[in-house]
Amino acid sequence: MSDIVNEFNDYRSKMNEKLLGDNNKVIKRIFNLDTNAYAAGALDVKTKELLGLVASTVLRCDDCIKYHLETSFKEGVTKEEMMETMSIATLVGGTIVIPHLRRAYEFWEALEEDVTM
């Protein structure tokens, strides 16, 4: 895996383990709610991940953007679908999200590189 993807996943895993290991009932319930919200239901997982990507971009959360990019990629989202989704996020969020769009594009390229290696 590329450095950018590895660094993100390693840090996320390490800190999630620490947070959940602290045994705070509210934090554990929030994590559980998040996991269950993105499970297949009336909407499929791919659609939910793209919705999460838009919301994360509008809210300007780079960690969330990376998470939803990687999950979307694993769900079979194409680069064209990702870019169309990010175009909606940029429209809704305004030009202030363009730096996040740049970093999202870079992260997507890293995901694609990992597949070709």
Side-chain angles (χ1 to χ4, degrees):
M1 251 190 225
S2 71
D3 289 344
I4 190 172
V5 175
N6 270 335
E7 287 174 17
F8 171 72
N9 285 324
D10 289 348
Y11 177 77
R12 184 175 179 276
S13 293
K14 178 179 91 174
M15 294 311 298
N16 281 352
E17 188 175 318
K18 286 184 177 195
L19 288 167
L20 293 171
D22 204 35
N23 209 25
N24 180 288
K25 185 176 9 178
V26 174
I27 296 294
K28 284 187 172 190
R29 286 182 176 174
I30 290 170
F31 273 60
N32 184 271
L33 178 62
D34 182 69
T35 298
N36 285 308
Y38 286 94
L43 297 174
D44 61 18
V45 173
K46 179 178 169 180
T47 301
K48 288 182 175 187
E49 287 301 330
L50 293 174
L51 290 168
L53 180 57
V54 170
S56 298
T57 303
V58 171
L59 292 170
R60 300 180 302 227
C61 176
D62 281 331
D63 279 7
C64 301
I65 292 167
K66 288 176 182 175
Y67 174 80
H68 291 293
L69 282 171
E70 186 170 10
T71 307
S72 295
F73 187 83
K74 289 176 180 175
E75 286 295 317
V77 168
T78 66
K79 187 174 195 175
E80 292 77 19
E81 290 170 321
M82 180 276 294
M83 285 302 295
E84 192 166 322
T85 300
M86 291 301 288
S87 71
I88 298 298
T90 305
L91 173 67
V92 173
T95 57
I96 197 165
V97 304
I98 290 174
H100 302 277
L101 173 62
R102 290 184 192 118
R103 289 189 289 274
Y105 196 89
E106 175 186 33
F107 196 80
W108 189 269
E109 286 183 325
L111 292 167
E112 289 179 323
E113 285 174 21
D114 287 344
V115 171
T116 61
M117 293 183 157

